[in-house]
Amino acid sequence: MTLSEVLLDDAPGALWARFRFVAPEIAKDGDPDARAADIDYLCTEVAVPYLRLYEIAPERVVISLSDRVLPFGSSEPEATQFFETYRVEDNACVWEGF
């Protein structure tokens, strides 16, 4: 699993930090429960420390996993992708189910 990019996006009307990861193996094992645990971990262990380090306070954090590099905002029918949205409170990720 590789962090492919961090995007700071204010298009939703507030600052969102998007952490985009590439994980080719998810195409073989697309188990949503396993991916949810992975995404929770990435928010807590990668996104929160990054935000603290760079003193960024976004309204939301989005963690995405894709089996391939895709340009932001694009979709590809063959791609396997997972996304979750969080708010950060007291240096912890709180899942925002939409």
Side-chain angles (χ1 to χ4, degrees):
M1 186 173 309
T2 304
L3 178 62
S4 64
E5 67 181 330
V6 177
L7 296 173
L8 299 179
D9 177 14
D10 61 3
L15 182 62
W16 287 31
R18 300 177 184 275
F19 291 78
R20 303 182 70 217
F21 292 86
V22 175
E25 69 279 0
I26 68 171
K28 296 177 199 136
D29 176 20
D31 176 24
D33 293 331
R35 297 302 71 85
D38 292 342
I39 292 170
D40 288 345
Y41 176 86
L42 292 169
C43 187
T44 300
E45 300 299 326
V46 177
V48 169
Y50 181 99
L51 296 171
R52 275 196 321 255
L53 178 66
Y54 292 101
E55 299 178 355
I56 302 168
E59 183 79 19
R60 295 287 184 272
V61 171
V62 178
I63 306 293
S64 65
L65 291 179
S66 178
D67 68 338
R68 64 196 72 190
V69 175
L70 295 171
F72 178 69
S74 70
S75 64
E76 191 173 304
E78 301 83 30
T80 302
Q81 298 182 76
F82 295 93
F83 304 87
E84 292 295 349
T85 305
Y86 302 85
R87 69 180 187 282
V88 177
E89 292 183 1
D90 300 320
N91 291 319
C93 293
V94 178
W95 179 66
E96 290 284 309
F98 287 106

